[in-house]
Every structure is written in C-alpha cells, then in structure tokens.
Amino acid sequence: MKRVITYGTFDLLHYGHINLLRRAKALGDYLIVVLSSDEFNWNEKHKKCYFTYEERRQLIEAIRYVDLVIPENNWEQKVNDVREYHIDTFVMGNDWEGKFDFLKAYCEVVYLSRTPEISTTQIKNDLNTTGGGR
Ligand code: C2G
C-alpha cells in the first residue's frame, strides 16, 4: 500500500485544496493530511484562521481522498512523520517548490501545481470588498 502525506492549514476549504488532495491521493493508496494547529498557524505562519483546528479537521476528514488527519504542531516534525507513518510520497503545492527536498532522503518528494486563481486570502478579500460573490 503506497502511503502519501501532505501538510497545510486548509482554512476556508476551497476547490484549490480539493484539487491538491485529489491529485495527492492519486499518487498512492492512503493519504494522510497533517493539519496545522491553531497555535502553529498563529505563532509560525502568522495566519489567523476563520475555522478552528477541530472545525478544519471535520471538513478535511469528510473529503473522500483523505484517510487520516493528524496535527501539525511545528516545522520540524516532517522527518519523524514520514518515518513513523512509513510514507512513500510527500506532496505539497509548488508554492513550496524545493523547500522540502531534504525529505528526499526518506521518501519521494512531489510538488504539484497550485490552482492559480483561488486562495483563502482571495476569498476573504472578495468578501470584504464585494460583500459576497465574485
Ligand atoms: N493549494 C493549492 N492551490 C491553491 C491553494 C492551496 O494547490 N489555490 C495547496 C497548497 O500549495 C498546499 C495546500 O493546498 O499544498 C494547503 O494550502 P495551505 O492551507 O495554504 O497550506 P500552507 O499554509 O501552505 O501550509 O508545513 C507546510 C505548511 O503547513 C503548508
């Protein structure tokens, strides 16, 4: 069984996230999503999430491509995660291109193209300016 792992905040879940998770799952048989905790988001990524970790976990767990959701608490846990969960392939969007190549010592590293026109920030900005749709 080929095991795939990916990391993220996944706030205001949108089709760009789904495009990533669908393609990540297609690279194997079992997909683990390591979901950034509220503390990690705030302290390390300076992201104030709309949804809490628990709410984001519920949303991600409901996605057919996702088999397991675990918390991301720090930048340093990736090597341990890859080893502990016997990961074959690490996947991230290509906005992270090259940033996790150190994991090639432990597993395959794949950067997938982002869905260009959508982001959580864009959604927030649009809602603030147009008061609703796009
Ligand atoms: N993504 C995408 N297309 C978008 C938006 C996001 O493909 N339009 C991808 C990102 O490239 C990432 C994943 O969806 O692989 C999750 O995106 P974020 O929630 O923004 O995650 P990020 O803040 O990049 O966290 O340790 C790694 C970090 O936790 C990654």
Tab-separated table of all heavy atoms in Angstrom, residues 98-122:
chain	number	residue	atom	x	y	z
A	98	GLY	N	10.884	22.954	-3.828
A	98	GLY	CA	12.264	22.897	-3.345
A	98	GLY	C	12.427	22.989	-1.841
A	98	GLY	O	13.456	22.591	-1.275
A	99	LYS	N	11.415	23.524	-1.145
A	99	LYS	CA	11.571	23.798	0.280
A	99	LYS	C	11.686	22.529	1.128
A	99	LYS	O	12.172	22.556	2.261
A	99	LYS	CB	10.381	24.633	0.802
A	99	LYS	CG	10.255	26.004	0.174
A	99	LYS	CD	11.326	26.965	0.683
A	99	LYS	CE	11.084	28.422	0.287
A	99	LYS	NZ	10.821	28.635	-1.123
A	100	PHE	N	11.193	21.428	0.637
A	100	PHE	CA	11.195	20.193	1.439
A	100	PHE	C	12.020	19.089	0.784
A	100	PHE	O	11.817	17.909	1.030
A	100	PHE	CB	9.748	19.737	1.690
A	100	PHE	CG	8.926	20.777	2.405
A	100	PHE	CD1	7.848	21.385	1.781
A	100	PHE	CD2	9.254	21.178	3.695
A	100	PHE	CE1	7.089	22.359	2.432
A	100	PHE	CE2	8.515	22.149	4.355
A	100	PHE	CZ	7.425	22.744	3.721
A	101	ASP	N	12.992	19.499	-0.061
A	101	ASP	CA	13.816	18.498	-0.763
A	101	ASP	C	14.657	17.659	0.194
A	101	ASP	O	15.086	16.564	-0.156
A	101	ASP	CB	14.708	19.190	-1.799
A	101	ASP	CG	13.909	19.652	-3.022
A	101	ASP	OD1	12.693	19.351	-3.077
A	101	ASP	OD2	14.488	20.321	-3.907
A	102	PHE	N	14.865	18.162	1.409
A	102	PHE	CA	15.628	17.364	2.399
A	102	PHE	C	14.932	16.040	2.704
A	102	PHE	O	15.545	15.071	3.133
A	102	PHE	CB	15.865	18.166	3.681
A	102	PHE	CG	14.625	18.520	4.454
A	102	PHE	CD1	14.125	17.647	5.415
A	102	PHE	CD2	13.949	19.701	4.197
A	102	PHE	CE1	12.973	17.968	6.129
A	102	PHE	CE2	12.790	20.039	4.898
A	102	PHE	CZ	12.291	19.166	5.861
A	103	LEU	N	13.613	15.992	2.408
A	103	LEU	CA	12.868	14.752	2.694
A	103	LEU	C	13.160	13.657	1.657
A	103	LEU	O	12.796	12.497	1.859
A	103	LEU	CB	11.364	15.056	2.731
A	103	LEU	CG	10.891	15.861	3.942
A	103	LEU	CD1	9.445	16.306	3.755
A	103	LEU	CD2	11.038	15.037	5.228
A	104	LYS	N	13.872	14.051	0.569
A	104	LYS	CA	14.183	13.044	-0.467
A	104	LYS	C	15.056	11.919	0.086
A	104	LYS	O	15.130	10.840	-0.502
A	104	LYS	CB	14.881	13.721	-1.663
A	104	LYS	CG	13.932	14.569	-2.503
A	104	LYS	CD	14.614	15.231	-3.691
A	104	LYS	CE	13.600	15.994	-4.539
A	104	LYS	NZ	14.242	16.740	-5.654
A	105	ALA	N	15.678	12.168	1.209
A	105	ALA	CA	16.481	11.117	1.864
A	105	ALA	C	15.580	10.035	2.460
A	105	ALA	O	16.033	8.929	2.763
A	105	ALA	CB	17.333	11.743	2.959
A	106	TYR	N	14.302	10.352	2.608
A	106	TYR	CA	13.383	9.434	3.302
A	106	TYR	C	12.245	8.938	2.412
A	106	TYR	O	11.659	7.882	2.665
A	106	TYR	CB	12.795	10.137	4.521
A	106	TYR	CG	13.845	10.680	5.463
A	106	TYR	CD1	14.261	12.009	5.380
A	106	TYR	CD2	14.451	9.846	6.402
A	106	TYR	CE1	15.240	12.507	6.229
A	106	TYR	CE2	15.432	10.334	7.259
A	106	TYR	CZ	15.825	11.668	7.162
A	106	TYR	OH	16.798	12.167	7.994
A	107	CYS	N	11.870	9.742	1.417
A	107	CYS	CA	10.714	9.371	0.582
A	107	CYS	C	10.758	10.173	-0.714
A	107	CYS	O	11.596	11.078	-0.874
A	107	CYS	CB	9.407	9.669	1.331
A	107	CYS	SG	9.144	11.437	1.684
A	108	GLU	N	9.823	9.844	-1.627
A	108	GLU	CA	9.679	10.636	-2.858
A	108	GLU	C	9.096	11.998	-2.470
A	108	GLU	O	8.258	12.066	-1.553
A	108	GLU	CB	8.714	9.897	-3.798
A	108	GLU	CG	8.526	10.506	-5.168
A	108	GLU	CD	7.415	9.786	-5.965
A	108	GLU	OE1	6.656	9.009	-5.366
A	108	GLU	OE2	7.334	10.036	-7.181
A	109	VAL	N	9.545	13.058	-3.124
A	109	VAL	CA	9.012	14.408	-2.859
A	109	VAL	C	8.413	14.937	-4.149
A	109	VAL	O	9.093	15.010	-5.171
A	109	VAL	CB	10.121	15.343	-2.350
A	109	VAL	CG1	9.605	16.772	-2.215
A	109	VAL	CG2	10.664	14.840	-0.999
A	110	VAL	N	7.124	15.294	-4.106
A	110	VAL	CA	6.409	15.753	-5.306
A	110	VAL	C	5.768	17.109	-5.025
A	110	VAL	O	5.098	17.280	-4.006
A	110	VAL	CB	5.308	14.742	-5.706
A	110	VAL	CG1	4.484	15.273	-6.879
A	110	VAL	CG2	5.932	13.390	-6.049
A	111	TYR	N	6.010	18.065	-5.913
A	111	TYR	CA	5.369	19.382	-5.813
A	111	TYR	C	4.356	19.472	-6.958
A	111	TYR	O	4.731	19.322	-8.125
A	111	TYR	CB	6.403	20.506	-5.933
A	111	TYR	CG	7.466	20.465	-4.856
A	111	TYR	CD1	8.747	19.958	-5.125
A	111	TYR	CD2	7.207	20.907	-3.559
A	111	TYR	CE1	9.720	19.889	-4.138
A	111	TYR	CE2	8.183	20.852	-2.574
A	111	TYR	CZ	9.438	20.344	-2.869
A	111	TYR	OH	10.410	20.283	-1.879
A	112	LEU	N	3.116	19.705	-6.596
A	112	LEU	CA	2.052	19.750	-7.612
A	112	LEU	C	1.669	21.203	-7.891
A	112	LEU	O	1.743	22.049	-7.000
A	112	LEU	CB	0.816	18.995	-7.108
A	112	LEU	CG	0.999	17.498	-6.848
A	112	LEU	CD1	-0.256	16.924	-6.179
A	112	LEU	CD2	1.303	16.749	-8.136
A	113	SER	N	1.248	21.484	-9.088
A	113	SER	CA	0.888	22.871	-9.435
A	113	SER	C	-0.307	23.334	-8.588
A	113	SER	O	-1.246	22.578	-8.329
A	113	SER	CB	0.502	22.946	-10.925
A	113	SER	OG	-0.561	22.039	-11.181
A	114	ARG	N	-0.216	24.564	-8.132
A	114	ARG	CA	-1.337	25.161	-7.384
A	114	ARG	C	-2.473	25.469	-8.349
A	114	ARG	O	-2.258	25.625	-9.555
A	114	ARG	CB	-0.889	26.505	-6.771
A	114	ARG	CG	-0.244	26.452	-5.442
A	114	ARG	CD	0.216	27.871	-5.076
A	114	ARG	NE	-0.935	28.720	-4.729
A	114	ARG	CZ	-1.374	28.886	-3.495
A	114	ARG	NH1	-0.795	28.234	-2.495
A	114	ARG	NH2	-2.387	29.674	-3.221
A	115	THR	N	-3.686	25.589	-7.823
A	115	THR	CA	-4.808	26.114	-8.611
A	115	THR	C	-4.697	27.631	-8.539
A	115	THR	O	-4.888	28.210	-7.454
A	115	THR	CB	-6.149	25.639	-8.030
A	115	THR	OG1	-6.140	24.213	-7.961
A	115	THR	CG2	-7.320	26.114	-8.870
A	116	PRO	N	-4.314	28.289	-9.632
A	116	PRO	CA	-3.822	29.666	-9.557
A	116	PRO	C	-4.818	30.723	-9.083
A	116	PRO	O	-4.461	31.633	-8.354
A	116	PRO	CB	-3.351	29.955	-10.980
A	116	PRO	CG	-4.035	28.964	-11.850
A	116	PRO	CD	-4.276	27.756	-11.004
A	117	GLU	N	-6.080	30.592	-9.461
A	117	GLU	CA	-6.966	31.751	-9.288
A	117	GLU	C	-7.689	31.796	-7.951
A	117	GLU	O	-8.471	32.704	-7.692
A	117	GLU	CB	-8.001	31.778	-10.420
A	117	GLU	CG	-9.131	30.770	-10.274
A	117	GLU	CD	-8.731	29.346	-10.685
A	117	GLU	OE1	-7.567	29.138	-11.072
A	117	GLU	OE2	-9.602	28.467	-10.628
A	118	ILE	N	-7.443	30.845	-7.078
A	118	ILE	CA	-8.188	30.827	-5.826
A	118	ILE	C	-7.231	30.710	-4.632
A	118	ILE	O	-6.198	30.044	-4.727
A	118	ILE	CB	-9.206	29.654	-5.808
A	118	ILE	CG1	-10.102	29.673	-4.557
A	118	ILE	CG2	-8.512	28.302	-5.920
A	118	ILE	CD1	-11.200	30.685	-4.600
A	119	SER	N	-7.564	31.410	-3.553
A	119	SER	CA	-6.815	31.270	-2.293
A	119	SER	C	-7.718	31.732	-1.163
A	119	SER	O	-8.696	32.464	-1.393
A	119	SER	CB	-5.547	32.132	-2.318
A	119	SER	OG	-5.924	33.505	-2.269
A	120	THR	N	-7.390	31.315	0.038
A	120	THR	CA	-8.173	31.732	1.199
A	120	THR	C	-8.124	33.251	1.343
A	120	THR	O	-9.135	33.888	1.616
A	120	THR	CB	-7.628	31.024	2.455
A	120	THR	OG1	-7.699	29.603	2.235
A	120	THR	CG2	-8.408	31.396	3.692
A	121	THR	N	-6.943	33.817	1.090
A	121	THR	CA	-6.794	35.285	1.175
A	121	THR	C	-7.696	35.976	0.167
A	121	THR	O	-8.370	36.962	0.469
A	121	THR	CB	-5.324	35.673	0.929
A	121	THR	OG1	-4.502	34.933	1.820
A	121	THR	CG2	-5.101	37.163	1.115
A	122	GLN	N	-7.739	35.422	-1.060
A	122	GLN	CA	-8.596	35.993	-2.122
A	122	GLN	C	-10.061	35.959	-1.698
A	122	GLN	O	-10.797	36.932	-1.866
A	122	GLN	CB	-8.396	35.153	-3.400
A	122	GLN	CG	-9.158	35.666	-4.623
A	122	GLN	CD	-8.534	36.927	-5.176
A	122	GLN	OE1	-7.326	36.978	-5.356
A	122	GLN	NE2	-9.333	37.951	-5.378
